[in-house]
Amino acid sequence: AAGVGDGDDLDELSLWWLLPAQRGLWGGMLGVPWIIARLNGERLVDLASLVPDRRDVGLGLIVGLGMQLVVIPLAYLPLLPFLDDDADLSEAARELTDRADGGAILALVLISVVGAPIVEEIFHRGLVQPRLVPRLGPPAAIGITSVLFAATHLQLLKYPALVKYGDADGILAHWRGRRAPAIVAHVVFNATAVVSLLALD
């Protein structure tokens, strides 16, 4: 990709190169569980639970905005004195948004605001968590799923925030018995971060 794009560094590539690269990640997160479910005579996820109703949208907005603008910042306040002065909690997201210029903003939105929330929620809150609940009970299932969700992002500095956010989505999905509110919350959570970072540029 770097050769075709006339660049020496993958970080210099347009986000339009990153969009098709997500197919491997998303295909693995959905494809392997789908195959396993089919082999066991199950459905990966009930498609009706993915379509949001009015209540799902309202709850998703509240949880997504609340977590991004209130809960996560407050959770990091006690940790700030222990972080290096040059620690940037939004570094990974900022690196993506810095590469989003012109039409690449659409690619950023498709990756971060549309694709990732849907795929990640189907995998974590649609596959992993519901299969752990009968074995471990809701609190442990939600906690373990959140730890896995945070780990898949490979961002050590943001790990506590991602676990906390995963807990919120896990509780929301379990309480409603549907994946749609968690997907809406995830879309709003990511969209808020993208809009904030683009506005700062």
Side-chain angles (χ1 to χ4, degrees):
V4 171
D6 294 327
D8 297 327
D9 190 349
L10 289 173
D11 290 338
E12 295 173 7
L13 288 174
S14 164
L15 290 179
W16 286 109
W17 284 103
L18 188 57
L19 185 58
Q22 296 302 302
R23 289 183 305 175
L25 173 64
W26 295 345
M29 289 186 84
L30 295 180
V32 172
W34 180 79
I35 291 169
I36 292 169
R38 289 293 297 244
L39 291 174
N40 290 329
E42 305 170 355
R43 293 168 66 183
L44 175 59
V45 68
D46 179 12
L47 294 180
S49 79
L50 302 178
V51 180
D53 60 25
R54 204 175 315 164
R55 189 170 180 201
D56 295 334
V57 172
L59 287 169
L61 278 167
I62 292 168
V63 171
L65 284 172
M67 292 300 293
Q68 185 67 263
L69 300 177
V70 179
V71 176
I72 301 298
L74 286 176
Y76 272 100
L77 276 179
L79 299 175
L80 291 178
F82 303 102
L83 297 175
D84 292 335
D85 291 338
D86 59 347
D88 184 3
L89 295 173
S90 60
E91 181 181 1
R94 190 180 311 283
E95 287 174 2
L96 272 181
T97 54
D98 286 347
R99 292 164 56 192
D101 55 344
I105 291 175
L106 177 58
L108 176 65
V109 168
L110 290 173
I111 293 168
S112 302
V113 180
V114 179
I118 293 171
V119 171
E120 290 175 9
E121 290 307 320
I122 290 174
F123 180 77
H124 291 101
R125 259 62 69 174
L127 173 74
V128 177
Q129 182 173 302
R131 281 160 175 74
L132 291 177
V133 167
R135 295 169 176 83
L136 305 173
I142 291 168
I144 290 169
T145 304
S146 298
V147 166
L148 175 63
F149 168 76
T152 60
H153 287 77
L154 304 175
Q155 295 179 32
L156 187 59
L157 196 56
K158 291 197 77 174
Y159 187 82
L162 290 167
V163 171
K164 195 170 287 297
Y165 177 73
D167 286 341
D169 264 8
I171 292 167
L172 188 57
H174 181 73
W175 172 53
R176 288 284 286 144
R178 299 166 46 75
R179 310 305 148 240
I183 291 172
V184 172
H186 203 148
V187 166
V188 171
F189 184 83
N190 285 8
T192 304
V194 167
V195 169
S196 300
L197 289 169
L198 287 174
L200 293 174
D201 284 349

